[in-house]
Amino acid sequence: MGNRDGVALGDPVGESLRGRHAHLARRFGRAVGYLPDVASFCAVSADPDPAEWADLARLLGPGELADMFSSPATPPPDWEPVFTLEGRQMTWSGTGRSAPRREADAEVLELGPDSVPEMLDLVERTRPGPFRPRTPELGTYLGVRENGRLVAMAGERLRPPGWTEISAVCTAPEARGRGHALRLIDALVVRVTERGERPFLHVAEANTGAIALYERLGFRTRERVTFRGFRTP
């Protein structure tokens, strides 16, 4: 992996916000974050000084969540820890289960703006991770319907240079065990690689079932990460 790839994947939030997601960003000084109805993630530089933390506090406002994603930067001591979650970052190796052409799988449908209420309902029932009303603007989202009802979805989230993150992989409880997640991830891998980019994703360390599925699909662990959130003073 080249040095540029290492930079992009080492700070996927910041690299996305300063690049392809700049139109979905809010800024103050050197701090940057997604618009609140798009995503909760924010970013500072690799070695932030007190002034940069002050910029982030001004950007978010007092008593607000600073979702630092996988950034290892530690805020000042008056920032209250909110959550810590161990996880891993995985990248697609180019091998694994052969991905079908998207035209060959009629079950997989692209979800448009009119599907957002259903997407939010599915997220509420399955809890795949942070998802907000404008999250679908981050990239393409695909879904599977049964009897007209949305029962599974997955989509594109962070977009650092040369890479696209697969995220929001979820299936309704009544539709599990039918291979929907596998088909959706396969279809996204096809779309991402056809653009000349590489797929990657993040997963909680405790989610062993998802890790096994991703490995079957050709994803390999790049590094362990810790997801952290803090409350601004």
Side-chain angles (χ1 to χ4, degrees):
M1 184 177 295
N3 183 60
R4 181 58 190 152
D5 285 342
V7 171
L9 293 181
D11 180 22
V13 172
E15 289 286 315
S16 299
L17 284 165
R18 298 180 187 103
R20 281 181 286 184
H21 285 163
H23 63 294
L24 299 173
R26 51 180 173 155
R27 299 172 180 80
F28 188 90
R30 289 176 289 163
V32 63
Y34 281 100
L35 296 171
D37 52 354
V38 175
S40 59
F41 311 132
C42 54
V44 291
S45 64
D47 187 22
D49 57 24
E52 193 167 351
W53 287 113
D55 287 344
L56 184 57
R58 288 285 300 275
L59 175 69
L60 300 177
E64 294 295 326
L65 174 67
D67 188 339
M68 302 305 299
F69 200 69
S70 59
S71 170
T74 300
D78 58 343
W79 291 52
E80 176 191 354
V82 175
F83 69 85
T84 301
L85 178 67
E86 298 303 321
R88 61 177 72 185
Q89 183 186 81
M90 305 179 74
T91 57
W92 191 61
S93 64
T95 61
R97 182 179 183 273
S98 179
R101 305 298 294 182
R102 58 178 177 265
E103 295 82 6
D105 194 344
E107 284 189 290
V108 174
L109 306 169
E110 187 165 334
L111 302 174
D114 57 338
S115 298
V116 169
E118 290 179 282
M119 298 166 77
L120 292 169
D121 177 70
L122 183 60
V123 167
E124 181 65 25
R125 291 191 291 137
T126 58
R127 304 288 184 178
F131 195 93
R132 297 186 173 185
R134 292 180 61 192
T135 295
E137 295 180 29
L138 295 172
T140 297
Y141 279 77
L142 304 178
V144 174
R145 294 183 181 276
E146 291 182 353
N147 299 317
R149 186 182 187 192
L150 183 67
V151 297
M153 74 171 185
E156 301 172 350
R157 189 169 64 177
L158 301 178
R159 302 285 302 277
W163 297 84
T164 294
E165 182 196 26
I166 294 175
S167 181
V169 181
C170 57
T171 303
E174 68 273 14
R176 289 173 184 163
R178 301 174 192 168
H180 293 330
L182 186 146
R183 280 189 287 274
L184 288 165
I185 298 169
D186 265 347
L188 286 168
V189 166
V190 169
R191 287 170 178 255
V192 172
T193 55
E194 283 181 345
R195 294 199 300 259
E197 299 172 359
R198 289 183 62 187
F200 77 114
L201 53 82
H202 294 89
V203 61
E205 193 66 37
N207 196 348
T208 55
I211 292 171
L213 171 65
Y214 299 148
E215 289 177 340
R216 178 183 172 192
L217 288 166
F219 287 85
R220 301 292 178 260
T221 298
R222 175 181 176 266
E223 67 176 1
R224 262 66 175 186
V225 297
T226 301
F227 305 108
R228 300 180 303 151
F230 299 87
R231 188 77 58 195
T232 58

